[in-house]
Amino acid sequence: MSDPAPMTRFGGGATDPEQPDADGEPHVVLRVLKRVRSAVVLVPLVAGLLFAASTGASKLFADVPERVAAPPEVTCWNGSTAPLASCPAPQGKAGLRWVFPSFRIADTDARCAPVQRRSRDSARPVEFACDLSFDQLPVTVTYSARTAVRQGLAFLARTYGAEGVPEADGDRLAFRSGRADDDGAFRVTVAYAEHPYSVTVEAPEAGLRDAALGELVDFRPADALATRG
């Protein structure tokens, strides 16, 4: 009676992976191959995920715009609050009083009156003449606002026959007559170089005219015309 066939460890005739096969090669080689195959699949996958993550992060930071700070607000010459670039230019009689602090005569004072001009003459939309006295002699101080800077300066150059002399570091231009005009008055006009405002002083003597200009007229600095300090 022959011996019974040896029984396998697993049902179905499966071979023990830890046992050598018919050629004597251990089945552990199969495990190594499986692991290598898994690594071949996982490495590109992980690399792709890392690349996608880095690309997404760079786009996230690149798409964030820089926050631009709003310009600070200031108090404009008329008391309103706005960014400096939005402050309006001084206008009207109140604007002239702001530009020329010496123009403080009350509205009821008969010494100052608006200059009456022809309706078609729009070169000086706002102009007030003040009949004053200096050293017991009569002088006239006229405050003016024109519609445009360049045209106003060109008009003064034609009137006086010469270009204005820079003063106040070039912020203002002074135009002086070398002789008395037809009514016997010596005249000087000082105009802002980049703003449409000017003042004219008339007196019976050239020295009196210049002294009255220095004593009776105050100018606000050109860089402070739009705002309150």
Side-chain angles (χ1 to χ4, degrees):
M1 186 173 181
S2 60
D3 296 331
M7 297 180 62
T8 60
R9 181 174 299 178
F10 301 99
T15 306
D16 186 351
E18 297 297 335
Q19 300 296 324
D21 57 13
D23 298 329
E25 293 293 338
H27 288 286
V28 71
V29 175
L30 297 176
R31 291 187 175 183
V32 172
L33 291 176
K34 289 181 179 180
R35 292 175 180 173
V36 171
R37 184 176 60 184
S38 298
V40 170
V41 174
L42 288 175
V43 168
L45 180 60
V46 173
L49 291 174
L50 291 175
F51 175 77
S54 63
T55 302
S58 63
K59 289 184 177 181
L60 176 63
F61 288 105
D63 292 341
V64 177
E66 294 184 1
R67 179 174 295 179
V68 179
E73 292 191 341
V74 298
T75 302
C76 303
W77 72 272
N78 58 0
S80 63
T81 301
L84 177 59
S86 299
C87 285
Q91 298 176 353
K93 187 175 184 179
L96 280 177
R97 285 177 166 174
W98 172 256
V99 174
F100 303 101
S102 54
F103 182 31
R104 295 300 186 199
I105 296 179
D107 293 339
T108 57
D109 195 323
R111 292 179 298 169
C112 284
V115 176
Q116 302 297 327
R117 294 185 174 275
R118 296 187 304 270
S119 59
R120 66 179 181 178
D121 186 357
S122 60
R124 302 177 186 177
V126 180
E127 191 170 42
F128 287 85
C130 300
D131 293 324
L132 309 175
S133 64
F134 184 75
D135 282 353
Q136 299 181 348
L137 292 174
V139 297
T140 300
V141 179
T142 304
Y143 299 98
S144 306
R146 295 182 172 87
T147 56
V149 176
R150 184 175 299 178
Q151 289 85 339
L153 295 178
F155 171 79
L156 291 174
R158 292 193 303 270
T159 300
Y160 285 89
E163 298 294 328
V165 178
E167 59 180 37
D169 295 330
D171 288 340
R172 298 192 295 266
L173 300 173
F175 300 82
R176 282 181 171 83
S177 59
R179 56 184 178 80
D181 56 21
D182 294 341
D183 58 5
F186 289 84
R187 182 179 290 106
V188 58
T189 298
V190 180
Y192 283 88
E194 297 182 0
H195 303 277
Y197 312 106
S198 64
V199 61
T200 299
V201 177
E202 301 172 64
E205 300 174 4
L208 181 69
R209 170 201 63 186
D210 294 336
L213 174 65
E215 294 293 331
L216 299 180
V217 179
D218 293 328
F219 298 87
R220 194 170 298 278
D223 58 358
L225 294 186
T227 62
R228 294 182 179 271

